[in-house]
Amino acid sequence: MLRVAVLRISMAVPILFGVSVIVFLLMNVLPGSAEASLVSDDMSAAERQAIRDELGLNDPLPLRYLHWLGDALQGNLGYSAQRRRDVSDLLMQAWGNTAVLALVSAVFGISLGLWLGYVAGTRRGTLIDRLTGVLSLSGLSIPSFFLAIILLAVFAGWLRLLPSGGANLDSGLLMALRSLVLPVLSGSLITMAITARVTRASIVDVAGADFVETLRAKGLSEWEVRRHILRNAISPVLTTSGVQIGALLGGSVLVETIFRWPGMGLLVFTAISARDLLVVQGATLVIAVTFVLLNLVVDLLQAWIDPRVRGAVS
Amino acid sequence: MSLTIETRAAGTTTPAIAPALRVRDLVTEFRGRYGAVRAVDGVSFTVPRGSVLAVIGESGSGKSAMLRSIIGINPPTTLVTGEISVGGRDLQTMSPRDRRTARGSDVSMVFQDPLTALDPVYTVEKQLVEAIRKHHEGLDKAQARQRALELLELVRIPSAAARLKAYPSELSGGMRQRVVIAMAIAGRPTVLLADEPTTALDVTVQARMMRLFRQIQRDIDMGLVIVTHDLGVAAELADEVAVMYAGRFVEHGTATQVLTRPSHPYTEGLIEANVRAGQDRRPNAIPGAPPSLDQLPPGCAFAPRCRYAVSACWDVRPITQLVGDGHSSSCLLAS
Ligand SMILES: Nc1ncnc2c1ncn2[C@@H]1O[C@H](COP(=O)(O)OP(=O)(O)OP(=O)(O)O)[C@@H](O)[C@H]1O
Ligand SMILES: [Mg+2]
């Protein structure tokens, strides 16, 4: 297990390096590069040159990358002239808000999906199974923004039970929960649906395996047999959960925009509209790194749970 | 090596004379959307303690269905009727809970494919300990571990202590089958059912596995029902041999009677096919195919493939008759 961990972690390092190179190149090779936000049309050529020099934009590309990487590693991702704040400050705040929303959504969506999938998979063909099928199919086909708008109209507009937007995370648990309900519901429906489907399929698959007969022949009770089945079935669920959490941590632009949730999605959306490229670059980097690290955690969990995964690596 | 699995004390809870397994008029029907399939159709037999019954027959004749009915792990829609007594205890009239705990302690089963018979995500030790503690409630973890080790030694697994920590995928097929056997005898069963336990193993391992079955079965003094395609195995291992066709025992007697003086044309065909097949032990050389179970002919199920069939065979379902001392056959022409 330790060997697997070391191997997996050492594999993550070059991936992170690659991510940083790509993010850097995208922002520096694409038209409309970084100084565009500082330079205005009425500046003279000499003034522009001075700015470029000052920003180090005339250095060769590899050197500029190293500078950028060094700064980034120290938490310095530049200054957003539009927002008049350090990019890292903006990111930290947005990431925190998104993380709260993402984690609550993930816990809610994944546990509900897991439960539904488990119930459906172990009672295959029953009414509950079919209802779950309908529910998860709707979850996959109803767009989150549509659900968000409906929820807004009903709970905030019509019933006036819940706030229509904003993250109220600092004024007590109750307020925080109230502001979370609608974004979590709209953002986690798809997570719930995917988790339910994967869990059900995996459980049905494992329940048909030969070793389940051996377990029954040993005299185990139905609950004990199901514990074995669940343990075997959890691997694909873990993989999709990782992807789901990753997507949630990236911040849903639609959900965050509709509920005015000041997270990564909203930040990136406004930064792109405002051509605030340093923010876009920083956000891309943060989202990518989050994803890589999350994958690492999922891989390690997987190896810990399933000896066959461990064997395949070592 | 110390013999840690002591024989069941005779006469404590059940009379010593009760056979390991007694089956009367066993019928197994699989009920599906498109009607019922009668996979086992009125089978009766008795396996004394310390004795081996080999069941032979072509694919689809209902051998596995019969074993599954005896241990009680058919899908819930299956209808099983008849008497199934293990050591004098009738399993069919038990509460579902008792029926379940009878699995592993009264009756155990070893399956065909050792590669898929073990839970891949638990170590051998975990799986053995689980079975042991299921049937010996007084044991603590350490004692159960000790017992798991003894079981592995009993099935002659080399460096057993190291194997305990292994996952199934780290063991060879032969080793895995030994683990499966160890697990099956963990609860000191009165009767062990083995469904083609060596078919998935290679030939050299097969012989060793058969010897192991013989030894263990003597050690524990249990009854053994073994389904096999290998008549050599049946001859070597079994006290009695039953031949199954379309859900019925068409011939049943001592191994010598059935294998050297077959009375039923089907048995005759199996023996000839087995000789011809040589290494490839699947007896598949009888012309024609077994009948579909949902449209059995009114007469003898084997008549369409039988070289001796006369017109009466097509109309009259043959009854089972004695053709020798303890040797029975369901052929109209048997005498
Ligand atoms: N769960 C089930 N539902 C419906 N039919 C079944 C089921 N299990 C077995 N059968 C049918 O019962 C018949 C007997 O099957 P069984 O597996 O007992 O044969 P077998 O003698 O063990 O053959 P083999 O040598 O191939 O293992 C077959 O026709 C099979 O299709
Ligand atoms: Mg079979």
Side-chain angles (χ1 to χ4, degrees):
Chain A
M1 187 63 215
L2 192 69
R3 271 184 55 202
V4 176
V6 171
L7 197 71
R8 281 280 147 88
I9 291 171
S10 61
M11 266 160 59
V13 172
I15 294 177
L16 286 172
F17 177 73
V19 164
S20 70
V21 171
I22 290 171
V23 169
F24 173 79
L25 283 182
L26 278 181
M27 288 305 152
N28 284 276
V29 174
L30 289 183
S33 53
E35 91 271 21
S37 51
L38 294 177
V39 176
S40 55
D41 287 337
D42 49 7
M43 283 181 178
S44 71
E47 276 173 323
R48 289 184 191 204
Q49 196 55 42
I51 287 179
R52 289 187 67 88
D53 276 339
E54 195 192 343
L55 290 174
L57 290 177
N58 290 327
D59 294 340
L61 210 54
L63 199 65
R64 276 162 58 198
Y65 168 72
L66 285 180
H67 270 297
W68 174 78
L69 185 64
D71 283 349
L73 284 177
Q74 289 167 36
N76 178 5
L77 290 166
Y79 181 79
S80 162
Q82 279 95 332
R83 305 284 290 261
R84 307 198 183 287
R85 303 246 323 252
D86 275 346
V87 172
S88 49
D89 279 352
L90 287 169
L91 285 173
M92 208 139 41
Q93 200 176 34
W95 197 90
N97 286 335
T98 288
V100 170
L101 182 58
L103 289 182
V104 177
S105 299
V107 168
F108 178 75
I110 291 171
S111 46
L112 191 61
L114 198 63
W115 181 70
L116 284 175
Y118 170 78
V119 170
T122 49
R123 292 172 183 68
R124 195 144 61 107
T126 60
L127 188 64
I128 287 184
D129 182 17
R130 261 171 260 150
L131 282 179
T132 308
V134 172
L135 193 65
S136 62
L137 193 64
S138 346
L140 287 178
S141 34
I142 298 176
S144 57
F145 72 86
F146 182 73
L147 183 68
I149 289 169
I150 300 286
L151 287 174
L152 258 183
V154 174
F155 289 98
W158 183 40
L159 296 173
R160 297 189 178 280
L161 282 174
L162 295 163
S164 66
N168 225 330
L169 297 180
D170 301 322
S171 35
L173 187 65
L174 186 70
M175 292 306 277
L177 286 180
R178 276 168 54 90
S179 65
L180 271 165
V181 173
L182 294 183
V184 164
L185 279 183
S186 9
S188 62
L189 184 70
I190 189 151
T191 308
M192 185 274 295
I194 292 177
T195 311
R197 297 203 123 204
V198 173
T199 308
R200 181 191 180 274
S202 181
I203 281 186
V204 166
D205 189 39
V206 174
D210 284 354
F211 75 83
V212 176
E213 279 202 321
T214 314
L215 297 174
R216 296 222 160 85
K218 271 185 357 185
L220 297 195
S221 69
E222 201 50 36
W223 286 113
E224 290 167 316
V225 171
R226 281 188 192 169
R227 219 189 51 221
H228 279 264
I229 293 179
L230 200 59
R231 174 75 196 269
N232 272 273
I234 207 68
S235 206
V237 181
L238 209 60
T239 310
T240 45
S241 297
V243 177
Q244 295 300 314
I245 297 174
L248 288 169
L249 278 176
S252 159
V253 173
L254 287 169
V255 170
E256 289 188 357
T257 312
I258 292 173
F259 291 106
R260 285 176 286 116
W261 190 272
M264 295 294 278
L266 194 58
L267 180 70
V268 172
F269 176 68
T270 38
I272 289 177
S273 326
R275 295 182 59 81
D276 195 348
L277 287 172
L278 285 176
V279 171
V280 176
Q281 185 182 40
T284 314
L285 187 70
V286 167
I287 291 172
V289 169
T290 307
F291 227 97
V292 172
L293 293 182
L294 194 70
N295 261 312
L296 178 66
V297 171
V298 169
D299 277 356
L300 290 177
L301 272 179
Q302 206 106 359
W304 182 55
I305 284 181
D306 193 337
R308 287 164 301 182
V309 174
R310 237 174 292 159
V313 174
S314 47
Chain B
M1 187 186 71
S2 72
L3 230 182
T4 47
I5 299 226
E6 64 270 26
T7 51
R8 254 162 207 268
T12 45
T13 52
T14 55
I17 27 128
L21 175 65
R22 194 180 116 101
V23 172
R24 284 288 165 274
D25 302 316
L26 180 68
V27 172
T28 304
E29 263 181 23
F30 294 112
R31 314 214 141 161
R33 205 167 290 179
Y34 308 106
V37 173
R38 192 171 271 224
V40 181
D41 189 9
V43 167
S44 301
F45 61 92
T46 298
V47 182
R49 285 164 195 273
S51 140
V52 181
L53 169 71
V55 181
I56 59 177
E58 282 167 300
S59 200
S61 52
K63 307 180 297 293
S64 300
M66 180 180 79
L67 297 191
R68 287 198 163 88
S69 305
I70 294 171
I71 194 167
I73 53 168
N74 278 311
T77 52
T78 316
L79 182 79
V80 178
T81 60
E83 181 201 329
I84 302 166
S85 300
V86 173
R89 306 194 330 131
D90 188 351
L91 301 185
Q92 286 293 86
T93 55
M94 284 179 177
S95 70
R97 198 194 142 83
D98 289 347
R99 182 82 168 93
R100 170 168 69 71
T101 46
R103 283 180 217 138
S105 64
D106 288 300
V107 47
S108 274
M109 185 153 169
V110 172
F111 296 90
Q112 175 169 347
D113 190 353
L115 298 186
T116 55
L118 293 165
D119 186 334
V121 304
Y122 289 100
T123 60
V124 166
E125 182 175 49
K126 275 246 169 73
Q127 300 188 50
L128 279 172
V129 164
E130 188 177 36
I132 291 164
R133 298 193 75 189
K134 195 86 217 163
H135 302 291
H136 305 269
E137 302 202 325
L139 293 186
D140 63 24
K141 275 231 168 85
Q143 288 169 315
R145 284 205 193 110
Q146 178 57 28
R147 196 153 190 103
L149 184 65
E150 289 163 1
L151 278 169
L152 285 196
E153 282 164 357
L154 194 72
V155 296
R156 290 156 183 83
I157 287 189
S159 43
R163 302 285 192 229
L164 276 179
K165 301 290 172 210
Y167 287 93
S169 56
E170 296 163 0
L171 302 178
S172 71
M175 283 303 150
R176 281 190 234 186
Q177 192 64 305
R178 282 170 198 267
V179 172
V180 172
I181 295 169
M183 205 148 76
I185 60 175
R188 281 186 274 155
T190 312
V191 61
L192 178 63
L193 313 173
D195 193 356
E196 303 190 40
T198 62
T199 309
L201 302 174
D202 66 57
V203 184
T204 49
V205 186
Q206 285 183 5
R208 257 181 281 151
M209 202 58 72
M210 280 305 155
R211 245 175 292 141
L212 178 67
F213 266 105
R214 193 61 172 158
Q215 280 162 342
I216 286 174
Q217 179 256 337
R218 289 216 179 104
D219 288 352
I220 319 188
D221 191 35
M222 59 183 184
L224 175 62
V225 179
I226 185 165
V227 166
T228 176
H229 281 280
D230 187 337
L231 300 195
V233 164
E236 197 182 317
L237 197 65
D239 302 293
E240 294 187 9
V241 173
V243 183
M244 201 161 182
Y245 190 76
R248 298 175 172 212
F249 278 7
V250 294
E251 181 161 7
H252 183 187
T254 65
T256 326
Q257 285 168 338
V258 174
L259 297 175
T260 61
R261 297 188 297 281
S263 153
H264 199 286
Y266 179 60
T267 315
E268 205 178 284
L270 284 182
I271 294 171
E272 277 171 23
N274 200 68
V275 172
R276 272 205 304 276
Q279 275 307 6
D280 173 25
R281 288 151 193 262
R282 289 239 153 202
N284 51 6
I286 303 176
S292 164
L293 290 173
D294 48 2
Q295 40 196 332
L296 289 179
C300 172
F302 188 59
R305 303 168 71 191
C306 181
R307 64 183 111 161
Y308 307 110
V310 297
S311 66
C313 295
W314 295 82
D315 306 324
V316 185
R317 179 153 286 193
I319 51 151
T320 306
Q321 47 181 318
L322 277 181
V323 293
D325 184 19
H327 185 187
S328 60
S329 165
S330 327
C331 176
L332 267 188
L333 308 174
S335 53

